[in-house]
Amino acid sequence: SQVSGLARQLDESLRSQVEQVRQAADEAAAARVAEAAAVAAEEAAASRRAIEAKVEAAERLRREHEEEARAVQEAAARAACDAREAIEAMREVLEEHRRAASTQHAFDELQRPRGAGGSRLGGLEEDDEPTVPLRQVEQLVDS
């Protein structure tokens, strides 16, 4: 009977120790899981911050590119306007040269002797057809 009482006590003591070991193991496992979860949360937060930094950098680059594109478009528009103005100025100069050449030609034609007798009669003999268009003569007179 004493032996069976000791055996029961030993059995209860062993069960109690086994239970304590299980609890300690469960607590240790829970601590490892909690630690792993904390590390994973920290890594996730660091990853999120890195992604946010990349998004901010991409947004900054997008804004810079938009500003550069806008500046290029404005410069292109100014250049096109300058080119149009230069072309218009060149047209005006060419028109002036054309008018001057036409006027000079008309003047030269009026000064050239006509006919066999070399009479000038304003550049025309009575039977000659005019070689200078009337419009050019009028422009010469008007200027």
Side-chain angles (χ1 to χ4, degrees):
S1 93
Q2 246 186 351
V3 173
S4 83
L6 281 175
R8 255 184 294 163
Q9 282 181 347
L10 184 57
D11 187 45
E12 287 176 17
S13 175
L14 283 175
R15 285 179 196 209
S16 173
Q17 288 177 358
V18 167
E19 186 58 34
Q20 288 175 358
V21 168
R22 279 187 192 150
Q23 285 178 353
D26 289 346
E27 289 172 5
R32 284 193 304 275
V33 168
E35 186 178 331
V39 168
E42 189 177 313
E43 288 174 356
S47 178
R48 180 182 50 79
R49 287 190 299 272
I51 290 170
E52 287 173 350
K54 287 179 182 179
V55 167
E56 288 175 14
E59 280 295 312
R60 188 172 45 256
L61 281 175
R62 182 189 58 78
R63 285 190 302 272
E64 289 172 4
H65 285 276
E66 285 176 353
E67 290 170 6
E68 288 173 7
R70 197 171 17 260
V72 167
Q73 287 174 341
E74 290 172 2
R78 284 192 301 273
C81 183
D82 291 347
R84 281 190 296 275
E85 289 175 0
I87 289 169
E88 186 58 34
M90 289 171 60
R91 283 183 180 146
E92 290 174 7
V93 167
L94 287 172
E95 182 61 26
E96 282 297 318
H97 284 296
R98 188 190 65 72
R99 279 193 222 119
S102 177
T103 300
Q104 183 64 46
H105 178 70
F107 182 77
D108 291 346
E109 286 295 316
L110 289 172
Q111 298 300 314
R112 192 164 44 131
R114 301 282 183 186
S119 167
R120 294 181 112 180
L121 292 178
L124 297 174
E125 290 294 325
E126 292 178 19
D127 59 343
D128 281 346
E129 287 294 318
T131 58
V132 179
L134 183 58
R135 181 175 62 87
Q136 289 178 342
V137 174
E138 289 171 345
Q139 286 177 349
L140 181 61
V141 171
D142 289 342
S143 61

